[in-house]
Coordinates of all heavy atoms in Angstrom, one line a residue:
M1 N 15.8 10.0 15.8 CA 17.1 9.2 16.0 C 17.4 8.6 14.7 O 16.6 7.9 14.1 CB 16.9 8.2 17.1 CG 17.1 8.7 18.5 SD 16.8 7.3 19.6 CE 18.3 7.3 20.4
E2 N 18.7 8.7 14.3 CA 19.2 8.1 13.1 C 19.1 6.6 13.0 O 18.8 6.0 12.0 CB 20.6 8.5 12.9 CG 21.0 8.6 11.4 CD 22.3 9.2 11.2 OE1 22.4 10.4 11.5 OE2 23.2 8.6 10.7
D3 N 19.2 5.9 14.1 CA 19.1 4.4 14.1 C 17.7 3.9 13.8 O 17.5 2.8 13.5 CB 19.5 3.8 15.4 CG 20.3 4.6 16.4 OD1 20.0 5.8 16.6 OD2 21.2 4.0 17.0
N4 N 16.7 4.8 14.0 CA 15.3 4.3 13.7 C 14.9 4.5 12.3 O 13.8 4.1 11.9 CB 14.4 5.1 14.7 CG 14.6 4.7 16.1 OD1 15.0 3.6 16.4 ND2 14.3 5.6 17.0
I5 N 15.7 5.2 11.5 CA 15.3 5.4 10.1 C 15.3 4.0 9.4 O 16.2 3.2 9.6 CB 16.3 6.3 9.4 CG1 16.2 7.7 10.0 CG2 16.1 6.4 7.9 CD1 17.3 8.7 9.6
F6 N 14.3 3.8 8.5 CA 14.2 2.6 7.8 C 13.8 2.8 6.3 O 13.2 3.8 6.0 CB 13.3 1.5 8.5 CG 11.9 2.0 8.7 CD1 10.9 1.7 7.7 CD2 11.5 2.7 9.8 CE1 9.6 2.1 7.9 CE2 10.2 3.1 10.0 CZ 9.2 2.8 9.0
D7 N 14.2 1.9 5.5 CA 13.9 2.0 4.0 C 12.5 1.4 3.7 O 12.1 0.5 4.4 CB 15.0 1.3 3.2 CG 16.3 1.9 3.3 OD1 16.4 3.2 3.5 OD2 17.3 1.2 3.2
I8 N 11.9 2.0 2.7 CA 10.7 1.4 2.2 C 10.7 1.4 0.7 O 11.4 2.2 0.1 CB 9.4 2.1 2.7 CG1 9.4 3.6 2.2 CG2 9.2 2.0 4.2 CD1 8.0 4.3 2.4
A9 N 10.0 0.4 0.1 CA 10.0 0.3 -1.3 C 8.7 -0.4 -1.7 O 8.3 -1.4 -1.0 CB 11.2 -0.4 -1.9
F10 N 8.0 0.1 -2.7 CA 6.7 -0.6 -3.1 C 6.4 -0.1 -4.5 O 6.9 0.9 -5.0 CB 5.6 -0.3 -2.1 CG 5.3 1.1 -1.9 CD1 4.3 1.8 -2.7 CD2 6.0 1.9 -1.0 CE1 4.1 3.1 -2.5 CE2 5.7 3.2 -0.8 CZ 4.7 3.9 -1.6
D11 N 5.4 -0.8 -5.1 CA 4.9 -0.4 -6.4 C 3.4 0.0 -6.2 O 2.7 -0.7 -5.5 CB 4.9 -1.6 -7.4 CG 6.4 -2.0 -7.7 OD1 7.1 -1.1 -8.2 OD2 6.7 -3.1 -7.4
L12 N 3.0 1.0 -6.9 CA 1.6 1.4 -6.8 C 1.2 2.1 -8.2 O 1.9 3.1 -8.6 CB 1.4 2.4 -5.7 CG -0.1 2.8 -5.5 CD1 -1.0 1.6 -5.0 CD2 -0.2 3.9 -4.4
G13 N 0.2 1.6 -8.8 CA -0.2 2.2 -10.0 C 0.8 2.3 -11.1 O 0.9 3.2 -11.9
G14 N 1.7 1.3 -11.2 CA 2.7 1.2 -12.2 C 3.9 2.0 -11.9 O 4.8 2.1 -12.8
T15 N 4.0 2.6 -10.8 CA 5.2 3.4 -10.4 C 5.9 2.7 -9.2 O 5.3 2.2 -8.3 CB 4.8 4.8 -9.9 OG1 4.1 5.4 -11.0 CG2 6.0 5.6 -9.5
R16 N 7.2 2.7 -9.3 CA 8.1 2.1 -8.3 C 8.5 3.3 -7.3 O 9.0 4.3 -7.8 CB 9.3 1.5 -8.8 CG 10.3 0.9 -7.8 CD 9.7 -0.4 -7.2 NE 10.6 -1.0 -6.3 CZ 10.3 -1.9 -5.4 NH1 9.0 -2.3 -5.3 NH2 11.1 -2.4 -4.6
Y17 N 8.2 3.1 -6.1 CA 8.5 4.1 -5.0 C 9.6 3.5 -4.1 O 9.5 2.4 -3.7 CB 7.3 4.5 -4.2 CG 6.3 5.2 -5.0 CD1 5.2 4.5 -5.5 CD2 6.3 6.6 -5.1 CE1 4.2 5.2 -6.3 CE2 5.3 7.3 -5.8 CZ 4.3 6.5 -6.4 OH 3.3 7.2 -7.1
T18 N 10.7 4.2 -3.9 CA 11.7 3.9 -2.9 C 12.0 5.1 -2.1 O 11.9 6.2 -2.6 CB 13.0 3.4 -3.6 OG1 13.5 4.4 -4.5 CG2 12.7 2.1 -4.5
G19 N 12.4 4.8 -0.9 CA 12.7 5.9 0.0 C 13.0 5.5 1.4 O 13.4 4.3 1.6
W20 N 12.8 6.4 2.3 CA 13.1 6.1 3.7 C 12.0 6.8 4.6 O 11.3 7.7 4.2 CB 14.5 6.5 4.1 CG 14.9 7.9 3.8 CD1 15.6 8.2 2.6 CD2 14.7 9.1 4.5 NE1 15.8 9.6 2.7 CE2 15.3 10.1 3.8 CE3 14.1 9.3 5.7 CZ2 15.2 11.5 4.2 CZ3 14.1 10.7 6.2 CH2 14.6 11.7 5.5
V21 N 12.0 6.3 5.9 CA 11.0 6.8 6.9 C 11.8 7.1 8.1 O 12.6 6.3 8.6 CB 9.9 5.7 7.2 CG1 9.0 6.2 8.3 CG2 9.2 5.4 5.9
N22 N 11.6 8.3 8.7 CA 12.2 8.7 9.9 C 11.2 8.9 11.0 O 10.5 9.9 11.0 CB 13.0 10.0 9.7 CG 13.9 10.3 11.0 OD1 14.0 9.6 11.9 ND2 14.4 11.5 10.9
P23 N 11.0 7.9 11.9 CA 10.0 8.1 13.0 C 10.4 9.2 14.0 O 11.5 9.4 14.3 CB 10.1 6.7 13.7 CG 10.8 5.8 12.9 CD 11.7 6.7 12.0
S24 N 9.3 9.9 14.4 CA 9.5 10.9 15.5 C 10.0 10.3 16.7 O 9.7 9.2 17.1 CB 8.1 11.6 15.7 OG 8.1 12.4 16.9
D25 N 10.8 11.1 17.5 CA 11.2 10.6 18.8 C 10.1 10.7 19.8 O 10.1 10.0 20.8 CB 12.4 11.5 19.3 CG 13.7 11.2 18.5 OD1 13.8 10.1 18.0 OD2 14.5 12.2 18.5
K26 N 9.1 11.5 19.6 CA 8.0 11.7 20.5 C 7.0 10.5 20.3 O 6.6 10.2 19.1 CB 7.2 13.0 20.2 CG 6.1 13.2 21.2 CD 5.5 14.6 21.0 CE 4.4 14.8 21.9 NZ 3.7 16.1 21.7
L27 N 6.6 9.8 21.4 CA 5.8 8.6 21.3 C 4.3 8.9 21.8 O 4.1 9.8 22.6 CB 6.3 7.5 22.1 CG 7.8 7.1 21.8 CD1 8.2 6.0 22.7 CD2 7.9 6.7 20.3
N28 N 3.4 8.2 21.2 CA 2.0 8.3 21.6 C 1.7 7.5 22.8 O 2.6 6.8 23.4 CB 1.0 8.0 20.5 CG 1.1 6.6 20.0 OD1 1.6 5.7 20.7 ND2 0.6 6.4 18.8
D29 N 0.5 7.4 23.3 CA 0.1 6.6 24.5 C 0.4 5.1 24.3 O 0.4 4.3 25.2 CB -1.4 6.8 24.8 CG -1.6 8.2 25.3 OD1 -0.7 8.9 25.7 OD2 -2.8 8.6 25.2
Y30 N 0.5 4.6 23.0 CA 0.7 3.2 22.7 C 2.2 2.9 22.5 O 2.6 1.8 22.2 CB -0.1 2.8 21.5 CG -1.6 3.0 21.7 CD1 -2.2 4.1 21.1 CD2 -2.3 2.2 22.5 CE1 -3.5 4.3 21.2 CE2 -3.7 2.4 22.7 CZ -4.3 3.5 22.0 OH -5.6 3.7 22.2
G31 N 3.1 3.9 22.7 CA 4.5 3.7 22.6 C 5.0 3.8 21.1 O 6.1 3.4 20.8
R32 N 4.1 4.2 20.2 CA 4.5 4.4 18.8 C 4.9 5.8 18.5 O 4.3 6.8 19.1 CB 3.4 3.9 17.9 CG 3.2 2.4 17.9 CD 2.5 2.0 16.7 NE 2.5 0.6 16.5 CZ 1.8 0.0 15.6 NH1 1.1 0.7 14.8 NH2 1.9 -1.3 15.5
P33 N 5.7 6.1 17.5 CA 6.0 7.5 17.2 C 4.7 8.2 16.8 O 3.8 7.6 16.1 CB 6.9 7.3 16.0 CG 7.6 6.0 16.2 CD 6.5 5.1 16.8
V34 N 4.6 9.5 17.1 CA 3.4 10.3 16.8 C 3.4 10.6 15.3 O 2.3 10.9 14.8 CB 3.3 11.6 17.6 CG1 3.1 11.2 19.1 CG2 4.5 12.5 17.5
S35 N 4.5 10.6 14.6 CA 4.5 10.9 13.2 C 5.8 10.3 12.6 O 6.7 9.9 13.3 CB 4.5 12.4 12.9 OG 5.7 13.0 13.4
Y36 N 5.8 10.3 11.2 CA 6.9 9.7 10.5 C 7.2 10.7 9.3 O 6.3 10.9 8.5 CB 6.5 8.4 9.9 CG 6.1 7.4 11.0 CD1 4.8 7.4 11.5 CD2 7.0 6.4 11.4 CE1 4.4 6.4 12.5 CE2 6.6 5.5 12.4 CZ 5.3 5.5 12.9 OH 5.0 4.6 13.9
H37 N 8.4 11.1 9.2 CA 8.9 11.9 8.1 C 9.2 10.9 7.0 O 10.0 10.0 7.1 CB 10.1 12.8 8.4 CG 10.5 13.6 7.3 ND1 11.9 13.8 7.0 CD2 9.9 14.2 6.2 CE1 12.0 14.5 5.9 NE2 10.8 14.8 5.4
V38 N 8.6 11.1 5.8 CA 8.8 10.1 4.7 C 9.4 10.9 3.5 O 8.9 11.9 3.1 CB 7.4 9.5 4.3 CG1 7.6 8.5 3.1 CG2 6.8 8.8 5.5
V39 N 10.4 10.2 2.9 CA 10.9 10.7 1.6 C 10.8 9.6 0.6 O 11.2 8.4 0.9 CB 12.4 11.1 1.8 CG1 13.1 11.4 0.4 CG2 12.6 12.3 2.7
L40 N 10.2 9.9 -0.5 CA 10.0 8.9 -1.6 C 10.6 9.4 -2.9 O 10.4 10.6 -3.3 CB 8.5 8.6 -1.8 CG 7.8 7.8 -0.7 CD1 6.3 7.7 -1.1 CD2 8.4 6.4 -0.5
N41 N 11.3 8.6 -3.6 CA 11.9 8.9 -4.9 C 12.7 10.3 -4.8 O 12.5 11.1 -5.6 CB 10.9 8.9 -6.0 CG 10.3 7.5 -6.2 OD1 10.8 6.5 -5.7 ND2 9.3 7.4 -7.0
D42 N 13.4 10.4 -3.7 CA 14.3 11.6 -3.5 C 13.5 12.9 -3.3 O 14.0 14.0 -3.4 CB 15.3 11.8 -4.6 CG 16.3 10.6 -4.7 OD1 16.7 10.1 -3.6 OD2 16.6 10.2 -5.8
T43 N 12.2 12.8 -2.9 CA 11.4 14.0 -2.7 C 10.6 13.8 -1.4 O 10.1 12.7 -1.1 CB 10.3 14.1 -3.8 OG1 11.0 14.2 -5.1 CG2 9.5 15.4 -3.6
S44 N 10.6 14.8 -0.6 CA 9.9 14.8 0.7 C 8.4 14.5 0.4 O 7.8 15.3 -0.3 CB 10.1 16.1 1.5 OG 9.4 16.0 2.7
F45 N 7.9 13.5 1.0 CA 6.5 13.1 0.9 C 5.7 13.8 1.9 O 4.5 14.1 1.7 CB 6.4 11.6 1.1 CG 5.0 11.0 0.9 CD1 4.5 10.8 -0.4 CD2 4.3 10.6 2.0 CE1 3.2 10.3 -0.6 CE2 3.0 10.1 1.8 CZ 2.5 9.9 0.5
G46 N 6.3 14.1 3.1 CA 5.6 14.8 4.2 C 5.7 14.0 5.5 O 6.5 13.1 5.6
Y47 N 4.9 14.5 6.4 CA 4.8 13.8 7.7 C 3.5 13.1 7.9 O 2.5 13.7 7.9 CB 5.0 14.9 8.8 CG 6.3 15.5 8.9 CD1 6.7 16.6 8.1 CD2 7.3 15.0 9.7 CE1 7.9 17.1 8.1 CE2 8.6 15.5 9.8 CZ 8.9 16.6 9.0 OH 10.2 17.1 9.0
L48 N 3.6 11.7 8.0 CA 2.5 10.9 8.2 C 2.2 10.6 9.7 O 3.1 10.5 10.5 CB 2.7 9.5 7.5 CG 2.2 9.4 6.1 CD1 3.1 10.1 5.1 CD2 2.0 8.0 5.7
S49 N 0.9 10.5 10.0 CA 0.5 10.1 11.3 C -0.7 9.3 11.2 O -1.5 9.4 10.2 CB 0.3 11.3 12.3 OG -0.7 12.1 11.8
C50 N -1.0 8.4 12.2 CA -2.2 7.6 12.1 C -3.2 8.3 13.1 O -3.0 8.4 14.3 CB -1.9 6.2 12.6 SG -3.2 5.0 12.2
N51 N -4.4 8.6 12.5 CA -5.4 9.3 13.3 C -6.7 8.5 13.1 O -7.2 8.4 12.0 CB -5.6 10.7 12.7 CG -6.5 11.6 13.5 OD1 -6.9 11.2 14.6 ND2 -6.8 12.8 13.0
N52 N -7.2 8.0 14.3 CA -8.4 7.2 14.2 C -8.4 6.1 13.2 O -9.3 5.9 12.4 CB -9.7 8.1 13.9 CG -9.9 9.1 15.1 OD1 -9.7 8.7 16.2 ND2 -10.4 10.2 14.7
C53 N -7.2 5.3 13.3 CA -7.0 4.2 12.4 C -6.9 4.5 10.9 O -7.1 3.6 10.1 CB -8.0 3.1 12.6 SG -8.1 2.5 14.3
K54 N -6.6 5.8 10.6 CA -6.5 6.2 9.2 C -5.2 7.0 9.1 O -5.0 7.9 9.9 CB -7.7 7.0 8.7 CG -7.6 7.4 7.2 CD -8.9 8.0 6.8 CE -8.8 8.6 5.4 NZ -8.6 7.7 4.3
W55 N -4.4 6.7 8.1 CA -3.2 7.5 7.9 C -3.5 8.8 7.2 O -4.3 8.9 6.3 CB -2.2 6.6 7.0 CG -1.6 5.5 7.8 CD1 -2.0 4.2 7.8 CD2 -0.5 5.6 8.6 NE1 -1.3 3.5 8.6 CE2 -0.3 4.3 9.2 CE3 0.4 6.6 9.0 CZ2 0.7 4.0 10.1 CZ3 1.4 6.3 9.9 CH2 1.6 5.0 10.4
V56 N -2.9 9.8 7.8 CA -3.0 11.2 7.2 C -1.6 11.8 7.0 O -0.7 11.4 7.7 CB -3.9 12.1 8.1 CG1 -5.3 11.6 8.2 CG2 -3.3 12.2 9.5
V57 N -1.6 12.8 6.1 CA -0.3 13.4 5.8 C -0.5 15.0 5.8 O -1.6 15.4 5.6 CB 0.3 12.9 4.5 CG1 -0.5 13.4 3.3 CG2 1.8 13.3 4.3
N58 N 0.5 15.7 6.1 CA 0.4 17.2 6.1 C 0.5 17.8 4.8 O 0.7 19.0 4.7 CB 1.5 17.7 7.1 CG 2.9 17.6 6.5 OD1 3.2 16.6 5.8 ND2 3.8 18.5 6.8
E59 N 0.4 17.1 3.7 CA 0.5 17.6 2.3 C -0.8 17.2 1.6 O -1.4 16.2 1.9 CB 1.7 17.1 1.6 CG 3.0 17.4 2.3 CD 3.5 18.8 2.1 OE1 3.0 19.5 1.2 OE2 4.3 19.3 3.0
E60 N -1.1 17.8 0.5 CA -2.2 17.4 -0.4 C -1.6 16.3 -1.3 O -0.9 16.5 -2.3 CB -2.6 18.6 -1.3 CG -3.4 19.6 -0.6 CD -4.9 19.2 -0.4 OE1 -5.4 18.5 -1.3 OE2 -5.5 19.6 0.6
L61 N -2.0 15.1 -1.0 CA -1.5 13.9 -1.7 C -2.7 12.9 -1.9 O -3.6 12.9 -1.1 CB -0.4 13.2 -1.0 CG 0.9 14.1 -0.8 CD1 1.8 13.5 0.2 CD2 1.6 14.2 -2.2
P62 N -2.6 12.1 -3.0 CA -3.7 11.1 -3.2 C -3.8 10.2 -2.0 O -2.8 9.6 -1.5 CB -3.2 10.3 -4.4 CG -2.2 11.2 -5.1 CD -1.6 12.0 -4.0
D63 N -5.0 10.0 -1.5 CA -5.3 9.1 -0.4 C -4.8 7.7 -0.6 O -4.2 7.1 0.4 CB -6.8 9.1 0.0 CG -7.1 8.4 1.3 OD1 -6.6 8.8 2.3 OD2 -7.8 7.4 1.2
R64 N -4.9 7.2 -1.8 CA -4.4 5.8 -2.1 C -3.0 5.7 -1.8 O -2.5 4.7 -1.2 CB -4.8 5.5 -3.5 CG -4.4 4.1 -3.9 CD -4.9 3.9 -5.3 NE -4.4 2.6 -5.8 CZ -4.0 2.4 -7.1 NH1 -4.2 3.4 -8.0 NH2 -3.5 1.3 -7.5
L65 N -2.2 6.7 -2.2 CA -0.7 6.7 -1.9 C -0.4 6.8 -0.5 O 0.4 6.1 0.1 CB -0.1 7.8 -2.8 CG 1.5 7.8 -2.7 CD1 2.1 6.5 -3.1 CD2 2.0 9.0 -3.6
V66 N -1.1 7.7 0.2 CA -0.9 7.9 1.7 C -1.2 6.6 2.4 O -0.4 6.2 3.3 CB -1.9 9.1 2.2 CG1 -1.8 9.2 3.7 CG2 -1.5 10.4 1.6
Q67 N -2.3 5.9 2.1 CA -2.7 4.7 2.8 C -1.7 3.6 2.5 O -1.3 2.8 3.4 CB -4.1 4.3 2.4 CG -5.2 5.3 2.8 CD -5.1 5.8 4.2 OE1 -4.9 5.0 5.2 NE2 -5.1 7.1 4.4
K68 N -1.1 3.6 1.3 CA -0.1 2.6 0.9 C 1.2 2.8 1.7 O 1.8 1.9 2.3 CB 0.2 2.6 -0.6 CG 1.3 1.6 -1.0 CD 0.8 0.2 -0.8 CE 1.9 -0.8 -1.4 NZ 1.6 -2.1 -1.0
V69 N 1.6 4.1 1.8 CA 2.8 4.4 2.6 C 2.5 4.0 4.1 O 3.4 3.4 4.7 CB 3.2 5.9 2.5 CG1 4.3 6.2 3.5 CG2 3.6 6.2 1.1
G70 N 1.4 4.3 4.6 CA 1.0 3.9 6.0 C 1.0 2.4 6.2 O 1.5 1.9 7.2
A71 N 0.6 1.7 5.2 CA 0.6 0.2 5.3 C 2.0 -0.3 5.3 O 2.3 -1.3 6.0 CB -0.2 -0.4 4.1
E72 N 2.9 0.3 4.5 CA 4.3 -0.1 4.5 C 5.0 0.2 5.9 O 5.8 -0.5 6.4 CB 5.1 0.7 3.4 CG 4.7 0.2 2.0 CD 5.0 -1.3 1.7 OE1 6.1 -1.7 2.1 OE2 4.1 -1.9 1.2
I73 N 4.6 1.3 6.5 CA 5.1 1.7 7.8 C 4.6 0.6 8.8 O 5.4 0.1 9.6 CB 4.7 3.1 8.3 CG1 5.4 4.1 7.4 CG2 5.0 3.3 9.8 CD1 4.9 5.5 7.6
E74 N 3.3 0.3 8.7 CA 2.7 -0.8 9.6 C 3.5 -2.1 9.4 O 3.8 -2.8 10.4 CB 1.3 -0.9 9.4 CG 0.4 0.2 9.9 CD 0.3 0.2 11.4 OE1 0.5 -0.9 12.1 OE2 0.1 1.3 12.0
K75 N 3.7 -2.5 8.2 CA 4.4 -3.7 7.9 C 5.8 -3.7 8.6 O 6.2 -4.7 9.2 CB 4.6 -3.9 6.4 CG 5.1 -5.2 6.0 CD 5.4 -5.5 4.5 CE 4.6 -4.7 3.5 NZ 5.0 -5.0 2.1
H76 N 6.5 -2.6 8.5 CA 7.8 -2.5 9.1 C 7.7 -2.6 10.6 O 8.5 -3.3 11.2 CB 8.5 -1.2 8.7 CG 9.8 -1.0 9.5 ND1 11.0 -1.5 9.1 CD2 10.1 -0.3 10.6 CE1 11.9 -1.2 9.9 NE2 11.4 -0.5 10.9
L77 N 6.7 -1.9 11.2 CA 6.6 -2.0 12.6 C 6.3 -3.4 13.1 O 6.8 -3.8 14.2 CB 5.4 -1.0 13.1 CG 5.7 0.5 12.9 CD1 4.5 1.3 13.2 CD2 6.9 0.9 13.7
M78 N 5.4 -4.1 12.4 CA 5.1 -5.5 12.7 C 6.3 -6.4 12.6 O 6.6 -7.2 13.5 CB 4.0 -6.0 11.9 CG 2.6 -5.3 12.1 SD 2.1 -5.3 13.9 CE 1.8 -7.0 14.1
M79 N 7.1 -6.2 11.6 CA 8.3 -7.0 11.4 C 9.3 -6.7 12.5 O 10.0 -7.6 13.0 CB 9.0 -6.8 10.0 CG 8.2 -7.4 8.9 SD 9.0 -7.4 7.2 CE 9.8 -5.8 7.2
D80 N 9.5 -5.4 12.8 CA 10.4 -5.0 13.9 C 10.0 -5.6 15.2 O 10.8 -6.1 16.0 CB 10.4 -3.5 13.9 CG 11.6 -3.0 14.8 OD1 12.7 -3.5 14.7 OD2 11.3 -2.0 15.6
K81 N 8.7 -5.6 15.5 CA 8.1 -6.1 16.7 C 8.4 -7.6 16.8 O 8.8 -8.1 17.8 CB 6.6 -5.8 16.8 CG 6.0 -6.2 18.1 CD 4.5 -5.8 18.1 CE 3.8 -6.3 19.4 NZ 2.4 -5.9 19.3
K82 N 8.2 -8.3 15.7 CA 8.4 -9.8 15.7 C 9.9 -10.1 15.9 O 10.3 -11.0 16.6 CB 8.0 -10.4 14.3 CG 8.1 -11.9 14.3 CD 7.7 -12.4 13.0 CE 7.8 -13.9 12.8 NZ 8.7 -14.6 13.6
T83 N 10.8 -9.3 15.2 CA 12.2 -9.5 15.4 C 12.7 -9.3 16.8 O 13.4 -10.1 17.3 CB 13.0 -8.5 14.4 OG1 12.6 -8.7 13.1 CG2 14.5 -8.7 14.6
K84 N 12.2 -8.3 17.5 CA 12.5 -8.0 18.9 C 12.0 -9.1 19.8 O 12.7 -9.6 20.7 CB 12.0 -6.7 19.3 CG 12.7 -5.5 18.7 CD 12.1 -4.2 19.1 CE 12.9 -3.0 18.5 NZ 12.3 -1.8 18.7
K85 N 10.8 -9.6 19.5 CA 10.2 -10.7 20.3 C 11.0 -12.0 20.1 O 11.3 -12.6 21.1 CB 8.7 -11.0 19.8 CG 8.0 -12.0 20.6 CD 6.6 -12.2 20.1 CE 6.0 -13.4 20.9 NZ 4.6 -13.7 20.3
D86 N 11.4 -12.3 18.9 CA 12.2 -13.5 18.6 C 13.6 -13.4 19.3 O 14.1 -14.4 19.9 CB 12.4 -13.7 17.1 CG 11.2 -14.1 16.4 OD1 10.2 -14.5 17.0 OD2 11.2 -14.1 15.1
A87 N 14.2 -12.2 19.3 CA 15.5 -12.0 19.9 C 15.3 -12.2 21.5 O 16.2 -12.8 22.1 CB 16.0 -10.6 19.6
T88 N 14.2 -11.7 22.0 CA 14.0 -11.8 23.5 C 13.8 -13.3 23.8 O 14.4 -13.8 24.8 CB 12.8 -11.0 23.9 OG1 13.0 -9.7 23.5 CG2 12.5 -11.2 25.4
Q89 N 13.1 -14.0 23.0 CA 12.8 -15.5 23.3 C 14.1 -16.3 23.2 O 14.3 -17.3 23.8 CB 11.8 -16.0 22.4 CG 10.4 -15.5 22.7 CD 9.3 -15.9 21.7 OE1 9.6 -16.4 20.6 NE2 8.1 -15.7 22.1
Q90 N 15.1 -15.8 22.3 CA 16.3 -16.5 22.2 C 17.4 -16.1 23.1 O 18.5 -16.5 23.0 CB 16.8 -16.4 20.7 CG 15.9 -17.0 19.7 CD 16.3 -16.7 18.3 OE1 17.4 -16.1 18.0 NE2 15.5 -17.2 17.3
G91 N 17.0 -15.2 24.0 CA 17.9 -14.7 25.0 C 18.8 -13.6 24.6 O 19.8 -13.3 25.2
G92 N 18.5 -12.9 23.5 CA 19.3 -11.9 22.9 C 18.8 -10.6 23.2 O 18.7 -9.6 23.4

């Protein structure tokens, strides 16, 4: 879904990465998307998923970068969850 796409940006190893994440419409048992299509610096990074508490991607990429992208997704999910909780508490 287009409304679920969100931007990410971070620095790692002296490189600035910017891009976007498109969560899958299919959800896992915990209500989270089963995978995330990620584009960084105008290049497809691949499809990330969390497997046994570790982020994995369908491409050959440095694990450090994969884990950083996963951490950025987690950060967004936590902020999104907090925003929704705050809106509910305020009657919105």
Side-chain angles (χ1 to χ4, degrees):
M1 273 179 127
E2 205 168 300
D3 342 41
N4 292 333
I5 295 173
F6 58 92
D7 293 331
I8 60 171
F10 59 90
D11 296 300
L12 183 68
T15 301
R16 179 73 177 160
Y17 294 94
T18 59
W20 51 265
V21 177
N22 185 9
S24 168
D25 289 335
K26 185 176 178 185
L27 304 179
N28 64 20
D29 294 339
Y30 302 103
R32 288 199 169 174
V34 295
S35 66
Y36 302 83
H37 179 218
V38 178
V39 172
L40 290 177
N41 295 351
D42 297 322
T43 303
S44 180
F45 183 77
Y47 290 86
L48 265 77
S49 59
C50 194
N51 187 8
N52 294 325
C53 299
K54 181 170 171 71
W55 287 95
V56 294
V57 68
N58 68 329
E59 302 286 339
E60 287 279 330
L61 296 164
D63 187 61
R64 183 172 168 216
L65 183 57
V66 173
Q67 299 311 313
K68 179 63 176 171
V69 172
E72 292 298 315
I73 292 171
E74 285 290 334
K75 188 185 333 179
H76 174 82
L77 294 174
M78 294 306 292
M79 287 187 323
D80 192 46
K81 185 177 178 181
K82 182 180 178 341
T83 301
K84 286 178 182 173
K85 182 180 176 185
D86 290 348
T88 300
Q89 289 176 345
Q90 293 175 6

